[in-house]
Amino acid sequence: MPRLSSVQHKVPCLFLTEVKQEQSRKRLGQPFQVIATEHLNPLALESNVESALATEKLDGTCCYVTYYEGQPYLWARLDRKPTKLADKSFKKYQHSHKSSKGFTWKVEEDFRPVPEAWIPAHGVKHHEGTPVPDDHGHIPGWVPVQTNNKQYCWHSSTVDYDAGVALVLRPGDQSPDLLELALVPLVDLMEQTLELIGTNVNGNPYGMGAKKQPLHALVSHGSVGVGGPSPPPLDLQGLTSWFQESREGGVEGIVWHCDDGTLVKVHRHHLGLGWPDGDCSFSSRPVEVRVDWTADHDYRLPTKDLFACLSRLDGQRFSRLQDVRFDT
């Protein structure tokens, strides 16, 4: 598979969208929702979306692998956001002008502080050396996942910096439906973005692990294809039917990777469909564990304890992802 684009910013919808004043299916308490229209986004057409690679949009939290203090490191998504007062002014301006263009930010005053190690995402615009907000009023960025930071304990459970490896869930080589849970060198994941999924992420729609036996893993963006030899249709009605009727339609959404590096997506909520909705296609796929953690490591650390538990399942195959269980 060719090297795919990383997810550094919000990905635009495949279709042009409109805002409806009704309760959001995606965010509790949000009094509006963004709905797809029948018109394809001109950006998608310009990028020849018809020949793009359709991949599964997974329901987790975005991560990034790049260097930190001289070694490959996992980074968590952390957007710099405005203070409540600045955000209120921004939204008032948006509402009255029907756009965010022309709004003036004072970044150092209007935005909440971020950790010293924070870096802006690729492509963030700068003014006089300072990152500036996007059209949504955020400055997308990343913060390194350090093992002593409890806020990112589930991120940390998937990596071991001493060994330089990460726990990755990826399509296997033996069968197109088979998934493989394996340790992958962090250096092989450099400059990729990945999705952290698992027991304590976004309500665990994939049924991974259990409260007493949490299981989390990283999935490289673009690594899980959808549609097989017949890609999902690109018209609104056909795509809605695909989500509702296709065997592969039990996904949160689709991300198309275009040849020119452009990414476009569609979420079930864009089509007025709920999520999760019954069995998820991803969690119903068979999984083979490929975790050989036999070296002399300190098993007292949580990350290594998880790896040690999975190592006892090395070589075992499970009929579904949600069936993977281990004894702590």
Side-chain angles (χ1 to χ4, degrees), residues 56 58 177 179 205-206 224-227 242-243 246-252 268 275-287 319-322:
E56 180 169 352
L58 289 162
D177 288 331
L179 296 173
Y206 305 109
V224 183
V226 295
W242 182 88
F243 274 104
S246 169
R247 183 178 69 88
E248 290 190 311
V251 298
E252 184 198 25
R268 294 178 70 95
W275 171 261
D277 183 22
D279 290 335
C280 302
S281 300
F282 193 71
S283 60
S284 299
R285 295 172 66 165
V287 181
S319 59
R320 301 179 303 170
L321 173 60
Q322 58 196 42

Side-chain angles (χ1 to χ4, degrees), residues 11 18 25 35-36 94 113 135 142 145 149 157 193 200 206 240 245-246 253 260-261 274 285 313:
V11 177
E18 61 183 16
R25 292 182 176 87
I35 297 294
Q94 267 188 320
D135 292 339
W142 308 99
V145 173
N149 189 335
S157 72
T193 53
N200 296 290
Y206 305 109
T240 302
E245 301 168 8
S246 169
D260 65 356
R285 295 172 66 165
L313 303 178

Side-chain angles (χ1 to χ4, degrees), residues 11-323:
V11 177
C13 184
L14 171 69
F15 302 97
L16 295 178
T17 59
E18 61 183 16
V19 176
K20 286 195 173 183
Q21 297 301 317
E22 57 187 47
Q23 180 60 46
S24 171
R25 292 182 176 87
K26 185 177 182 181
R27 293 184 175 89
L28 185 65
Q30 180 174 290
F32 65 89
Q33 58 180 345
V34 179
I35 297 294
T37 68
E38 294 184 351
H39 305 289
L40 285 173
N41 191 326
L43 176 66
L45 292 173
E46 292 169 7
S47 300
N48 195 20
V49 69
E50 294 88 351
S51 63
L53 177 65
T55 68
E56 180 169 352
K57 181 187 184 303
L58 289 162
D59 189 1
T61 185
C62 194
C63 304
Y64 174 47
V65 176
T66 193
Y67 282 112
Y68 177 63
E69 295 185 340
Q71 70 177 105
Y73 231 79
L74 183 69
W75 295 64
R77 182 66 177 265
L78 181 65
D79 290 1
R80 192 172 183 188
K81 299 179 180 180
T83 62
K84 287 185 177 180
L85 184 61
D87 188 50
K88 185 177 180 179
S89 297
F90 174 66
K91 288 179 177 176
K92 183 179 180 180
Y93 181 94
Q94 267 188 320
H95 181 74
S96 61
H97 291 77
K98 307 301 180 184
S99 171
S100 62
K101 293 181 179 179
F103 184 83
T104 302
W105 292 102
K106 297 179 180 178
V107 175
E108 294 306 317
E109 298 176 18
D110 292 340
F111 280 76
R112 300 172 187 174
V114 287
E116 185 178 354
W118 178 90
I119 60 172
H122 292 318
V124 168
K125 295 179 181 179
H126 288 66
H127 177 68
E128 297 181 351
T130 300
V132 296
D134 58 20
D135 292 339
H136 304 282
H138 292 180
I139 306 176
W142 308 99
V143 65
V145 173
Q146 297 169 300
T147 53
N148 60 353
N149 189 335
K150 292 183 179 180
Q151 182 180 354
Y152 299 110
C153 61
W154 306 122
H155 293 70
S156 296
S157 72
T158 66
V159 292
D160 186 294
Y161 296 127
D162 292 335
V165 295
L167 184 63
V168 173
L169 194 56
R170 61 189 182 185
D173 296 329
Q174 301 178 26
S175 165
D177 288 331
L178 179 67
L179 296 173
E180 182 179 84
L181 190 59
L183 294 180
V184 175
L186 278 164
V187 70
D188 292 351
L189 303 173
M190 282 292 294
E191 300 308 318
Q192 291 187 34
T193 53
L194 310 96
E195 199 79 1
L196 174 72
I197 61 173
T199 311
N200 296 290
V201 179
N202 288 2
N204 193 20
Y206 305 109
M208 293 174 61
K211 185 176 181 180
K212 293 184 177 180
Q213 301 172 338
L215 174 62
H216 301 83
L218 299 165
V219 185
S220 294
H221 287 148
S223 64
V224 183
V226 295
S230 301
L234 296 175
D235 65 285
L236 186 67
Q237 184 176 350
L239 192 55
T240 302
S241 296
W242 182 88
F243 274 104
Q244 293 175 312
E245 301 168 8
S246 169
R247 183 178 69 88
E248 290 190 311
V251 298
E252 184 198 25
I254 303 171
V255 178
W256 284 268
H257 291 251
C258 301
D259 292 338
D260 65 356
T262 297
L263 300 176
V264 291
K265 72 178 181 183
V266 71
H267 192 290
R268 294 178 70 95
H269 296 305
H270 286 134
L271 308 176
L273 303 176
W275 171 261
D277 183 22
D279 290 335
C280 302
S281 300
F282 193 71
S283 60
S284 299
R285 295 172 66 165
V287 181
E288 189 166 317
V289 178
R290 290 294 182 188
V291 178
D292 182 8
W293 193 250
T294 57
D296 183 18
H297 294 288
D298 184 354
Y299 292 146
R300 292 172 296 175
L301 298 178
T303 299
K304 297 166 184 178
D305 182 60
L306 171 63
F307 290 1
C309 291
L310 288 172
S311 185
R312 292 195 285 270
L313 303 178
D314 185 39
Q316 292 189 36
R317 184 175 294 191
F318 297 83
S319 59
R320 301 179 303 170
L321 173 60
Q322 58 196 42
D323 292 336

